[in-house]
Amino acid sequence: MAQFIGGLDPDVELPFIAAEEDTGPIVKAIVLDSAPKKVIGYRARISLRDLIETFSQVTGIKAEPVVLPKGESVVPFPPELQQELDDNWGYWKEFGYYGGDPTIINPKDVSVMHCCERFFTLTCIVGTRTQA
Protein backbone atom coordinates (compact mmCIF):
# COMPACT_ATOMS: atom_id res chain seq x y z
CA MET A 1 0.00 0.00 0.00
CA ALA A 2 1.25 3.46 -0.91
CA GLN A 3 1.16 6.15 1.73
CA PHE A 4 0.92 9.89 1.12
CA ILE A 5 2.57 11.24 4.25
CA GLY A 6 2.48 14.85 5.39
CA GLY A 7 1.08 17.41 7.77
CA LEU A 8 -1.90 18.53 5.70
CA ASP A 9 -5.49 17.53 6.45
CA PRO A 10 -6.37 15.18 3.54
CA ASP A 11 -9.77 16.85 3.08
CA VAL A 12 -8.45 20.37 2.42
CA GLU A 13 -8.72 21.30 -1.26
CA LEU A 14 -5.60 22.75 -2.86
CA PRO A 15 -4.63 23.63 -6.42
CA PHE A 16 -2.61 21.01 -8.26
CA ILE A 17 -0.53 22.22 -11.18
CA ALA A 18 1.11 20.60 -14.20
CA ALA A 19 3.48 23.52 -14.71
CA GLU A 20 4.65 22.64 -18.22
CA GLU A 21 1.08 22.35 -19.52
CA ASP A 22 -1.08 24.64 -17.40
CA THR A 23 0.71 27.95 -17.02
CA GLY A 24 1.42 29.25 -20.53
CA PRO A 25 -2.03 30.25 -21.84
CA ILE A 26 -3.24 31.76 -18.58
CA VAL A 27 -0.02 33.73 -17.97
CA LYS A 28 -0.13 35.06 -21.52
CA ALA A 29 -3.74 36.17 -21.05
CA ILE A 30 -2.84 38.03 -17.86
CA VAL A 31 0.21 39.70 -19.40
CA LEU A 32 -1.67 40.82 -22.50
CA ASP A 33 -4.69 42.12 -20.59
CA SER A 34 -4.32 45.64 -19.25
CA ALA A 35 -6.95 45.19 -16.52
CA PRO A 36 -5.43 44.05 -13.23
CA LYS A 37 -6.52 40.58 -12.21
CA LYS A 38 -5.80 38.00 -9.54
CA VAL A 39 -5.93 34.67 -11.36
CA ILE A 40 -4.83 31.47 -9.75
CA GLY A 41 -3.66 28.97 -12.35
CA TYR A 42 -4.07 25.27 -11.72
CA ARG A 43 -5.16 22.05 -13.34
CA ALA A 44 -7.51 20.98 -10.59
CA ARG A 45 -8.61 22.03 -7.16
CA ILE A 46 -8.73 18.77 -5.29
CA SER A 47 -8.27 17.34 -1.82
CA LEU A 48 -5.39 15.03 -1.06
CA ARG A 49 -7.97 12.31 -0.34
CA ASP A 50 -9.46 12.72 -3.86
CA LEU A 51 -5.97 12.83 -5.37
CA ILE A 52 -5.13 9.55 -3.62
CA GLU A 53 -8.36 7.99 -4.90
CA THR A 54 -7.49 9.07 -8.44
CA PHE A 55 -3.95 7.69 -8.01
CA SER A 56 -5.38 4.34 -6.91
CA GLN A 57 -7.85 4.19 -9.81
CA VAL A 58 -5.17 4.96 -12.40
CA THR A 59 -2.37 2.78 -11.00
CA GLY A 60 -4.34 0.00 -9.34
CA ILE A 61 -2.23 0.55 -6.19
CA LYS A 62 -4.11 0.97 -2.94
CA ALA A 63 -3.11 4.15 -1.13
CA GLU A 64 -3.93 6.08 2.00
CA PRO A 65 -3.18 9.46 3.56
CA VAL A 66 -1.06 9.57 6.70
CA VAL A 67 -1.29 12.83 8.65
CA LEU A 68 1.71 13.53 10.83
CA PRO A 69 1.31 15.29 14.16
CA LYS A 70 1.86 19.05 14.12
CA GLY A 71 5.58 19.82 14.14
CA GLU A 72 6.61 16.52 12.51
CA SER A 73 7.68 16.10 8.90
CA VAL A 74 9.02 13.45 6.55
CA VAL A 75 11.77 15.89 5.60
CA PRO A 76 13.74 17.40 8.49
CA PHE A 77 13.05 21.14 8.27
CA PRO A 78 14.59 23.80 10.51
CA PRO A 79 12.14 24.58 13.35
CA GLU A 80 11.25 28.05 12.02
CA LEU A 81 10.37 26.62 8.58
CA GLN A 82 8.39 23.77 10.14
CA GLN A 83 6.39 26.35 12.10
CA GLU A 84 5.66 28.23 8.86
CA LEU A 85 4.44 25.02 7.20
CA ASP A 86 2.26 24.15 10.19
CA ASP A 87 0.79 27.67 10.15
CA ASN A 88 0.09 27.44 6.39
CA TRP A 89 -1.65 24.06 6.71
CA GLY A 90 -3.74 25.37 9.61
CA TYR A 91 -4.70 28.49 7.63
CA TRP A 92 -5.71 26.47 4.57
CA LYS A 93 -7.81 24.18 6.74
CA GLU A 94 -9.58 27.08 8.47
CA PHE A 95 -9.92 29.63 5.63
CA GLY A 96 -9.22 27.70 2.41
CA TYR A 97 -6.28 28.17 0.07
CA TYR A 98 -7.53 31.59 -1.14
CA GLY A 99 -8.39 32.86 2.32
CA GLY A 100 -11.85 33.84 1.14
CA ASP A 101 -10.56 36.53 -1.25
CA PRO A 102 -13.53 37.24 -3.54
CA THR A 103 -11.32 38.94 -6.15
CA ILE A 104 -9.49 35.71 -7.08
CA ILE A 105 -10.45 34.51 -10.55
CA ASN A 106 -10.70 30.79 -11.16
CA PRO A 107 -9.02 29.54 -14.38
CA LYS A 108 -12.33 28.16 -15.66
CA ASP A 109 -13.68 31.73 -15.60
CA VAL A 110 -11.00 33.09 -17.97
CA SER A 111 -12.22 33.08 -21.55
CA VAL A 112 -9.85 31.11 -23.77
CA MET A 113 -11.45 32.63 -26.85
CA HIS A 114 -10.76 36.10 -25.48
CA CYS A 115 -7.14 35.06 -24.93
CA CYS A 116 -6.80 33.79 -28.50
CA GLU A 117 -8.55 36.79 -30.05
CA ARG A 118 -6.36 39.17 -28.07
CA PHE A 119 -3.22 37.18 -28.97
CA PHE A 120 -3.92 37.36 -32.70
CA THR A 121 -4.94 41.01 -32.49
CA LEU A 122 -1.66 41.94 -30.84
CA THR A 123 0.69 39.66 -32.79
CA CYS A 124 -0.68 39.62 -36.37
CA ILE A 125 -0.43 43.05 -37.96
CA VAL A 126 -1.18 43.19 -41.71
CA GLY A 127 1.15 40.55 -43.06
CA THR A 128 3.74 40.85 -40.31
CA ARG A 129 4.20 38.91 -37.13
CA THR A 130 5.66 40.39 -34.02
CA GLN A 131 7.48 38.31 -31.46
CA ALA A 132 5.01 37.14 -28.78
Side-chain angles (χ1 to χ4, degrees), residues 18-66:
E20 292 180 5
E21 299 172 15
D22 297 342
T23 55
I26 201 162
V27 170
K28 184 134 187 151
I30 294 167
V31 170
L32 293 177
D33 196 336
S34 61
K37 289 185 176 55
K38 293 181 184 177
V39 179
I40 187 157
Y42 56 81
R43 171 159 300 212
R45 185 174 165 200
I46 187 171
S47 71
L48 180 59
R49 190 174 309 282
D50 291 338
L51 182 72
I52 292 169
E53 183 179 321
T54 301
F55 170 84
S56 293
Q57 289 173 353
V58 171
T59 65
I61 299 170
K62 290 184 179 184
E64 66 181 2
V66 176

Short mmCIF file of all heavy atoms in Angstrom, two decimals, residues 18-66:
data_model
loop_
_atom_site.label_atom_id
_atom_site.label_comp_id
_atom_site.label_asym_id
_atom_site.label_seq_id
_atom_site.Cartn_x
_atom_site.Cartn_y
_atom_site.Cartn_z
N ALA A 18 0.17 21.22 -13.28
CA ALA A 18 1.11 20.60 -14.20
C ALA A 18 1.79 21.78 -14.90
O ALA A 18 1.31 22.29 -15.91
CB ALA A 18 0.40 19.69 -15.20
N ALA A 19 2.87 22.25 -14.31
CA ALA A 19 3.48 23.52 -14.71
C ALA A 19 3.78 23.62 -16.20
O ALA A 19 3.56 24.67 -16.81
CB ALA A 19 4.75 23.76 -13.90
N GLU A 20 4.27 22.56 -16.81
CA GLU A 20 4.65 22.64 -18.22
C GLU A 20 3.45 22.74 -19.13
O GLU A 20 3.57 23.18 -20.27
CB GLU A 20 5.51 21.43 -18.61
CG GLU A 20 6.87 21.44 -17.93
CD GLU A 20 7.72 20.24 -18.32
OE1 GLU A 20 7.31 19.44 -19.18
OE2 GLU A 20 8.81 20.10 -17.76
N GLU A 21 2.27 22.34 -18.67
CA GLU A 21 1.08 22.35 -19.52
C GLU A 21 0.06 23.41 -19.14
O GLU A 21 -0.71 23.85 -19.97
CB GLU A 21 0.40 20.98 -19.47
CG GLU A 21 1.28 19.85 -19.97
CD GLU A 21 0.65 18.50 -19.72
OE1 GLU A 21 -0.55 18.43 -19.42
OE2 GLU A 21 1.36 17.49 -19.81
N ASP A 22 0.02 23.81 -17.88
CA ASP A 22 -1.08 24.64 -17.40
C ASP A 22 -0.80 26.14 -17.37
O ASP A 22 -1.73 26.93 -17.37
CB ASP A 22 -1.47 24.22 -15.98
CG ASP A 22 -2.00 22.80 -15.93
OD1 ASP A 22 -2.38 22.27 -16.98
OD2 ASP A 22 -2.04 22.24 -14.83
N THR A 23 0.43 26.55 -17.31
CA THR A 23 0.71 27.95 -17.02
C THR A 23 0.76 28.86 -18.24
O THR A 23 0.36 30.02 -18.14
CB THR A 23 2.04 28.08 -16.24
OG1 THR A 23 3.07 27.44 -17.00
CG2 THR A 23 1.92 27.47 -14.88
N GLY A 24 1.21 28.40 -19.37
CA GLY A 24 1.42 29.25 -20.53
C GLY A 24 0.24 30.09 -20.97
O GLY A 24 0.30 31.32 -20.98
N PRO A 25 -0.89 29.47 -21.34
CA PRO A 25 -2.03 30.25 -21.84
C PRO A 25 -2.58 31.25 -20.83
O PRO A 25 -2.91 32.37 -21.18
CB PRO A 25 -3.07 29.19 -22.18
CG PRO A 25 -2.28 27.94 -22.39
CD PRO A 25 -1.10 28.04 -21.46
N ILE A 26 -2.66 30.86 -19.58
CA ILE A 26 -3.24 31.76 -18.58
C ILE A 26 -2.29 32.92 -18.27
O ILE A 26 -2.72 34.05 -18.13
CB ILE A 26 -3.68 31.00 -17.32
CG1 ILE A 26 -4.71 31.83 -16.56
CG2 ILE A 26 -2.54 30.62 -16.44
CD1 ILE A 26 -5.52 31.03 -15.57
N VAL A 27 -0.99 32.66 -18.21
CA VAL A 27 -0.02 33.73 -17.97
C VAL A 27 -0.04 34.70 -19.14
O VAL A 27 -0.04 35.92 -18.95
CB VAL A 27 1.39 33.16 -17.73
CG1 VAL A 27 2.43 34.26 -17.73
CG2 VAL A 27 1.43 32.37 -16.43
N LYS A 28 -0.09 34.19 -20.34
CA LYS A 28 -0.13 35.06 -21.52
C LYS A 28 -1.36 35.96 -21.49
O LYS A 28 -1.28 37.15 -21.78
CB LYS A 28 -0.12 34.22 -22.79
CG LYS A 28 -0.05 35.07 -24.04
CD LYS A 28 0.96 34.53 -24.96
CE LYS A 28 1.14 35.47 -26.11
NZ LYS A 28 2.44 35.42 -26.66
N ALA A 29 -2.51 35.38 -21.12
CA ALA A 29 -3.74 36.17 -21.05
C ALA A 29 -3.61 37.29 -20.03
O ALA A 29 -4.06 38.41 -20.27
CB ALA A 29 -4.92 35.27 -20.70
N ILE A 30 -3.00 37.02 -18.91
CA ILE A 30 -2.84 38.03 -17.86
C ILE A 30 -1.89 39.13 -18.33
O ILE A 30 -2.16 40.32 -18.16
CB ILE A 30 -2.31 37.40 -16.56
CG1 ILE A 30 -3.37 36.46 -15.98
CG2 ILE A 30 -1.93 38.45 -15.54
CD1 ILE A 30 -2.83 35.56 -14.88
N VAL A 31 -0.78 38.73 -18.95
CA VAL A 31 0.21 39.70 -19.40
C VAL A 31 -0.36 40.61 -20.49
O VAL A 31 -0.12 41.81 -20.50
CB VAL A 31 1.49 38.98 -19.90
CG1 VAL A 31 2.42 39.94 -20.59
CG2 VAL A 31 2.20 38.31 -18.73
N LEU A 32 -1.13 40.05 -21.38
CA LEU A 32 -1.67 40.82 -22.50
C LEU A 32 -2.87 41.68 -22.12
O LEU A 32 -3.21 42.61 -22.84
CB LEU A 32 -2.06 39.89 -23.65
CG LEU A 32 -0.90 39.17 -24.33
CD1 LEU A 32 -1.43 38.22 -25.40
CD2 LEU A 32 0.08 40.15 -24.92
N ASP A 33 -3.51 41.37 -21.00
CA ASP A 33 -4.69 42.12 -20.59
C ASP A 33 -4.27 43.28 -19.70
O ASP A 33 -3.55 43.11 -18.74
CB ASP A 33 -5.65 41.20 -19.83
CG ASP A 33 -7.04 41.80 -19.72
OD1 ASP A 33 -7.17 43.03 -19.79
OD2 ASP A 33 -7.98 41.01 -19.56
N SER A 34 -4.73 44.47 -20.02
CA SER A 34 -4.32 45.64 -19.25
C SER A 34 -5.06 45.77 -17.92
O SER A 34 -4.60 46.47 -17.03
CB SER A 34 -4.52 46.91 -20.08
OG SER A 34 -5.90 47.03 -20.40
N ALA A 35 -6.20 45.10 -17.78
CA ALA A 35 -6.95 45.19 -16.52
C ALA A 35 -6.28 44.32 -15.47
O ALA A 35 -5.94 43.17 -15.72
CB ALA A 35 -8.38 44.72 -16.75
N PRO A 36 -6.05 44.87 -14.28
CA PRO A 36 -5.43 44.05 -13.23
C PRO A 36 -6.35 42.92 -12.80
O PRO A 36 -7.55 43.11 -12.67
CB PRO A 36 -5.19 45.04 -12.09
CG PRO A 36 -6.07 46.19 -12.36
CD PRO A 36 -6.35 46.21 -13.83
N LYS A 37 -5.76 41.76 -12.61
CA LYS A 37 -6.52 40.58 -12.21
C LYS A 37 -5.72 39.77 -11.22
O LYS A 37 -4.50 39.82 -11.19
CB LYS A 37 -6.82 39.69 -13.41
CG LYS A 37 -7.83 40.26 -14.38
CD LYS A 37 -8.14 39.25 -15.45
CE LYS A 37 -9.20 39.70 -16.39
NZ LYS A 37 -8.98 40.96 -17.03
N LYS A 38 -6.42 38.98 -10.42
CA LYS A 38 -5.80 38.00 -9.54
C LYS A 38 -6.31 36.65 -10.00
O LYS A 38 -7.42 36.25 -9.67
CB LYS A 38 -6.20 38.22 -8.09
CG LYS A 38 -5.69 39.50 -7.47
CD LYS A 38 -6.16 39.54 -6.02
CE LYS A 38 -5.78 40.83 -5.36
NZ LYS A 38 -6.31 40.88 -3.97
N VAL A 39 -5.54 35.97 -10.84
CA VAL A 39 -5.93 34.67 -11.36
C VAL A 39 -5.03 33.62 -10.75
O VAL A 39 -3.81 33.78 -10.72
CB VAL A 39 -5.81 34.62 -12.90
CG1 VAL A 39 -6.21 33.25 -13.43
CG2 VAL A 39 -6.64 35.71 -13.54
N ILE A 40 -5.63 32.57 -10.25
CA ILE A 40 -4.83 31.47 -9.75
C ILE A 40 -4.88 30.37 -10.81
O ILE A 40 -5.95 30.01 -11.29
CB ILE A 40 -5.33 30.98 -8.38
CG1 ILE A 40 -4.38 29.94 -7.83
CG2 ILE A 40 -6.75 30.46 -8.43
CD1 ILE A 40 -4.43 29.78 -6.34
N GLY A 41 -3.72 29.95 -11.27
CA GLY A 41 -3.66 28.97 -12.35
C GLY A 41 -3.40 27.58 -11.81
O GLY A 41 -2.43 27.37 -11.09
N TYR A 42 -4.25 26.65 -12.16
CA TYR A 42 -4.07 25.27 -11.72
C TYR A 42 -4.86 24.33 -12.62
O TYR A 42 -5.78 24.74 -13.32
CB TYR A 42 -4.49 25.09 -10.27
CG TYR A 42 -5.90 25.51 -9.95
CD1 TYR A 42 -6.99 24.68 -10.23
CD2 TYR A 42 -6.16 26.74 -9.37
CE1 TYR A 42 -8.28 25.06 -9.93
CE2 TYR A 42 -7.45 27.13 -9.07
CZ TYR A 42 -8.50 26.28 -9.35
OH TYR A 42 -9.78 26.67 -9.06
N ARG A 43 -4.49 23.09 -12.58
CA ARG A 43 -5.16 22.05 -13.34
C ARG A 43 -6.44 21.61 -12.65
O ARG A 43 -7.46 21.41 -13.27
CB ARG A 43 -4.24 20.85 -13.49
CG ARG A 43 -4.92 19.64 -14.10
CD ARG A 43 -3.94 18.72 -14.67
NE ARG A 43 -3.22 19.44 -15.71
CZ ARG A 43 -2.74 18.89 -16.80
NH1 ARG A 43 -2.88 17.63 -17.00
NH2 ARG A 43 -2.11 19.61 -17.69
N ALA A 44 -6.35 21.43 -11.36
CA ALA A 44 -7.51 20.98 -10.59
C ALA A 44 -7.40 21.48 -9.17
O ALA A 44 -6.31 21.64 -8.64
CB ALA A 44 -7.58 19.46 -10.59
N ARG A 45 -8.55 21.73 -8.58
CA ARG A 45 -8.61 22.03 -7.16
C ARG A 45 -9.19 20.77 -6.52
O ARG A 45 -10.34 20.42 -6.78
CB ARG A 45 -9.51 23.23 -6.92
CG ARG A 45 -9.52 23.65 -5.49
CD ARG A 45 -10.30 24.93 -5.32
NE ARG A 45 -10.57 25.11 -3.91
CZ ARG A 45 -11.50 25.88 -3.45
NH1 ARG A 45 -12.26 26.56 -4.28
NH2 ARG A 45 -11.69 25.99 -2.17
N ILE A 46 -8.37 20.11 -5.75
CA ILE A 46 -8.73 18.77 -5.29
C ILE A 46 -8.13 18.52 -3.91
O ILE A 46 -7.09 19.07 -3.57
CB ILE A 46 -8.22 17.73 -6.32
CG1 ILE A 46 -8.72 16.33 -6.01
CG2 ILE A 46 -6.72 17.78 -6.45
CD1 ILE A 46 -8.42 15.34 -7.14
N SER A 47 -8.80 17.71 -3.14
CA SER A 47 -8.27 17.34 -1.82
C SER A 47 -7.24 16.23 -2.00
O SER A 47 -7.25 15.50 -3.00
CB SER A 47 -9.39 16.88 -0.90
OG SER A 47 -9.88 15.61 -1.30
N LEU A 48 -6.38 16.10 -1.03
CA LEU A 48 -5.39 15.03 -1.06
C LEU A 48 -6.11 13.68 -1.10
O LEU A 48 -5.69 12.76 -1.81
CB LEU A 48 -4.46 15.11 0.15
CG LEU A 48 -3.38 14.05 0.25
CD1 LEU A 48 -2.47 14.07 -0.98
CD2 LEU A 48 -2.57 14.23 1.52
N ARG A 49 -7.21 13.56 -0.36
CA ARG A 49 -7.97 12.31 -0.34
C ARG A 49 -8.46 11.95 -1.75
O ARG A 49 -8.36 10.81 -2.20
CB ARG A 49 -9.13 12.41 0.63
CG ARG A 49 -9.83 11.09 0.89
CD ARG A 49 -10.89 11.19 1.96
NE ARG A 49 -10.48 11.79 3.21
CZ ARG A 49 -9.76 11.18 4.16
NH1 ARG A 49 -9.34 9.94 3.98
NH2 ARG A 49 -9.45 11.82 5.27
N ASP A 50 -9.00 12.96 -2.48
CA ASP A 50 -9.46 12.72 -3.86
C ASP A 50 -8.29 12.43 -4.80
O ASP A 50 -8.41 11.60 -5.71
CB ASP A 50 -10.26 13.91 -4.37
CG ASP A 50 -11.60 14.06 -3.67
OD1 ASP A 50 -12.11 13.05 -3.12
OD2 ASP A 50 -12.15 15.18 -3.68
N LEU A 51 -7.16 13.09 -4.57
CA LEU A 51 -5.97 12.83 -5.37
C LEU A 51 -5.50 11.38 -5.17
O LEU A 51 -5.17 10.69 -6.14
CB LEU A 51 -4.85 13.79 -5.00
CG LEU A 51 -3.56 13.64 -5.81
CD1 LEU A 51 -3.75 14.15 -7.23
CD2 LEU A 51 -2.42 14.37 -5.13
N ILE A 52 -5.52 10.93 -3.94
CA ILE A 52 -5.13 9.55 -3.62
C ILE A 52 -6.08 8.56 -4.28
O ILE A 52 -5.65 7.54 -4.83
CB ILE A 52 -5.05 9.34 -2.10
CG1 ILE A 52 -3.89 10.15 -1.52
CG2 ILE A 52 -4.94 7.87 -1.75
CD1 ILE A 52 -3.87 10.22 -0.01
N GLU A 53 -7.38 8.87 -4.25
CA GLU A 53 -8.36 7.99 -4.90
C GLU A 53 -8.10 7.90 -6.40
O GLU A 53 -8.13 6.82 -6.99
CB GLU A 53 -9.77 8.51 -4.64
CG GLU A 53 -10.85 7.63 -5.22
CD GLU A 53 -12.24 8.16 -4.92
OE1 GLU A 53 -12.47 8.66 -3.80
OE2 GLU A 53 -13.09 8.08 -5.83
N THR A 54 -7.80 9.04 -7.01
CA THR A 54 -7.49 9.07 -8.44
C THR A 54 -6.22 8.26 -8.72
O THR A 54 -6.16 7.48 -9.67
CB THR A 54 -7.32 10.52 -8.93
OG1 THR A 54 -8.53 11.23 -8.67
CG2 THR A 54 -7.00 10.57 -10.41
N PHE A 55 -5.19 8.46 -7.89
CA PHE A 55 -3.95 7.69 -8.01
C PHE A 55 -4.24 6.20 -7.99
O PHE A 55 -3.74 5.44 -8.83
CB PHE A 55 -3.00 8.07 -6.87
CG PHE A 55 -1.79 7.20 -6.75
CD1 PHE A 55 -0.66 7.43 -7.51
CD2 PHE A 55 -1.79 6.12 -5.86
CE1 PHE A 55 0.45 6.60 -7.41
CE2 PHE A 55 -0.68 5.30 -5.74
CZ PHE A 55 0.45 5.54 -6.52
N SER A 56 -5.06 5.77 -7.05
CA SER A 56 -5.38 4.34 -6.91
C SER A 56 -6.14 3.81 -8.12
O SER A 56 -5.87 2.71 -8.59
CB SER A 56 -6.19 4.09 -5.64
OG SER A 56 -5.41 4.33 -4.50
N GLN A 57 -7.08 4.61 -8.64
CA GLN A 57 -7.85 4.19 -9.81
C GLN A 57 -6.95 4.04 -11.04
O GLN A 57 -7.09 3.09 -11.80
CB GLN A 57 -8.96 5.18 -10.10
CG GLN A 57 -10.08 5.16 -9.10
CD GLN A 57 -11.08 6.28 -9.32
OE1 GLN A 57 -10.89 7.18 -10.16
NE2 GLN A 57 -12.17 6.26 -8.55
N VAL A 58 -6.03 4.97 -11.22
CA VAL A 58 -5.17 4.96 -12.40
C VAL A 58 -4.11 3.88 -12.32
O VAL A 58 -3.82 3.20 -13.31
CB VAL A 58 -4.53 6.35 -12.61
CG1 VAL A 58 -3.46 6.32 -13.69
CG2 VAL A 58 -5.59 7.39 -12.94
N THR A 59 -3.50 3.71 -11.14
CA THR A 59 -2.37 2.78 -11.00
C THR A 59 -2.78 1.39 -10.54
O THR A 59 -2.01 0.44 -10.70
CB THR A 59 -1.35 3.32 -9.99
OG1 THR A 59 -1.94 3.37 -8.70
CG2 THR A 59 -0.82 4.68 -10.42
N GLY A 60 -3.95 1.27 -9.92
CA GLY A 60 -4.34 0.00 -9.34
C GLY A 60 -3.66 -0.27 -8.00
O GLY A 60 -3.80 -1.35 -7.42
N ILE A 61 -2.93 0.70 -7.47
CA ILE A 61 -2.23 0.55 -6.19
C ILE A 61 -3.09 1.18 -5.10
O ILE A 61 -3.48 2.34 -5.20
CB ILE A 61 -0.85 1.26 -6.24
CG1 ILE A 61 0.03 0.64 -7.31
CG2 ILE A 61 -0.17 1.20 -4.87
CD1 ILE A 61 1.31 1.42 -7.58
N LYS A 62 -3.37 0.41 -4.07
CA LYS A 62 -4.11 0.97 -2.94
C LYS A 62 -3.24 2.01 -2.25
O LYS A 62 -2.02 1.84 -2.16
CB LYS A 62 -4.51 -0.12 -1.97
CG LYS A 62 -5.56 -1.06 -2.50
CD LYS A 62 -5.99 -2.06 -1.45
CE LYS A 62 -7.06 -2.97 -2.02
NZ LYS A 62 -7.57 -3.90 -1.02
N ALA A 63 -3.87 3.06 -1.77
CA ALA A 63 -3.11 4.15 -1.13
C ALA A 63 -3.95 4.76 -0.03
O ALA A 63 -5.17 4.64 -0.01
CB ALA A 63 -2.72 5.20 -2.16
N GLU A 64 -3.26 5.43 0.89
CA GLU A 64 -3.93 6.08 2.00
C GLU A 64 -3.16 7.33 2.43
O GLU A 64 -1.95 7.39 2.26
CB GLU A 64 -4.05 5.13 3.20
CG GLU A 64 -2.70 4.77 3.81
CD GLU A 64 -2.78 3.80 4.97
OE1 GLU A 64 -3.89 3.37 5.32
OE2 GLU A 64 -1.72 3.48 5.53
N PRO A 65 -3.88 8.30 3.00
CA PRO A 65 -3.18 9.46 3.56
C PRO A 65 -2.71 9.14 4.97
O PRO A 65 -3.37 8.41 5.71
CB PRO A 65 -4.26 10.54 3.58
CG PRO A 65 -5.54 9.78 3.73
CD PRO A 65 -5.33 8.48 3.03
N VAL A 66 -1.56 9.67 5.33
CA VAL A 66 -1.06 9.57 6.70
C VAL A 66 -0.74 10.99 7.14
O VAL A 66 0.11 11.65 6.56
CB VAL A 66 0.21 8.69 6.79
CG1 VAL A 66 0.76 8.69 8.20
CG2 VAL A 66 -0.08 7.27 6.32
#
